[in-house]
Amino acid sequence: MVPITLWLVPIGAHVSSAGGLWAAADRAVAIGAEVLQCFVQSPRAWKPTDHDGADLHKVAPASPVPVFVHVTYLVNLASADPDLRERSVQSLASQYATACRAGAQGVVLHPGSYKGSTRDEGITAAADGIRAALGAAERDLGKPGEAAVLLENSAGAGSSLCRSIEELAALRQACGSEPRIGVCLDTQHLWASGTEYSEPSGVESVVRLVRELIGMENLRLLHLNDSKVALGAGRDRHENLGAGHIGRRALGLLLGHPGLASIPAVLEVPGPNGKGPSAQDVIQAREIYAEGCQMWAAG
């Protein structure tokens, strides 16, 4: 096995935040994760969790691992419904402010669906919503938040926004000169939306598009998942590493590409019992990364 001192890509996991962010950090450390991702409120409820302010302020200097926050699934900034869009802005602002107080490095966001409007209208609505949420969070915090907002690619279902790297780039550009806007790439979503990377040429194409359209410095996080569905199926269905349609080799090729070195990778897999990533999943991810590095080194 590759010694830990040689690992360039930090491997982390999405874990439950039940009991608070400290409990989430303990869960991450217990499975050997080097990065933590969690929700700061119920992922399927609008009502924010009333976190203890003193505890949140302790997380930043003392958390044993870097923290990323995933925004709840209800948020839809691209919606054609003005009421839903306004509620989404308020919710994003609240979650972003909480993440900043906890010292999170990034807040992962699904921009939503533009059903009932056009793609371009959805991009404009989402960009306006992100800027409005950042402004509201700044008023709440009393200063600009430091965490990045990471736009995540979608699996391509229906009218979902950001189903391709090109759409991610278009939304990021629509946000203007806001330097906090970055990108999170999900391996399962890439596959389900029709981006093939089972061979080196496909991986090179992905990296080239990110470099040219987004900038490698703006790719801040990877979500590392296999897929329960076939290439181009357009459905968000995560599978444990090596047990799905993507497979161990393709995931290794992507994760081990030299252009992605040092970008944290977070597991969102079901795990052995359907309750999320385990220690064995983290170990397997590191093995897959090492195999990918070896494939690229061998040419």
Side-chain angles (χ1 to χ4, degrees), residues 37 68-72 92 106-110 148-152 184 221 223 268:
Q37 180 181 279
F68 289 85
V69 167
H70 199 300
V71 173
T72 56
L92 174 57
V107 176
V108 180
L109 170 68
H110 289 285
V149 174
L150 305 182
L151 310 173
E152 182 176 352
C184 168
L221 188 67
H223 282 169
E268 296 179 323

Side-chain angles (χ1 to χ4, degrees), residues 95-160:
Q95 293 176 70
Y96 179 82
T98 299
C100 289
R101 289 188 174 103
Q105 294 186 8
V107 176
V108 180
L109 170 68
H110 289 285
S113 168
Y114 57 88
K115 183 178 180 180
S117 64
T118 68
R119 170 186 171 276
D120 289 346
E121 289 170 336
I123 287 175
T124 298
D128 289 346
I130 291 168
R131 287 192 294 265
L134 288 175
E138 180 174 345
R139 292 189 291 274
D140 183 6
L141 294 166
K143 62 179 182 179
E146 295 182 358
V149 174
L150 305 182
L151 310 173
E152 182 176 352
N153 60 312
S154 74
S159 302
S160 60

Side-chain angles (χ1 to χ4, degrees), residues 184-208:
C184 168
L185 279 184
D186 185 298
T187 58
Q188 193 275 331
H189 299 174
L190 273 177
W191 189 264
S193 63
T195 300
E196 204 275 344
Y197 54 87
S198 59
E199 297 297 333
S201 59
V203 177
E204 292 283 16
S205 177
V206 169
V207 173
R208 177 182 55 79

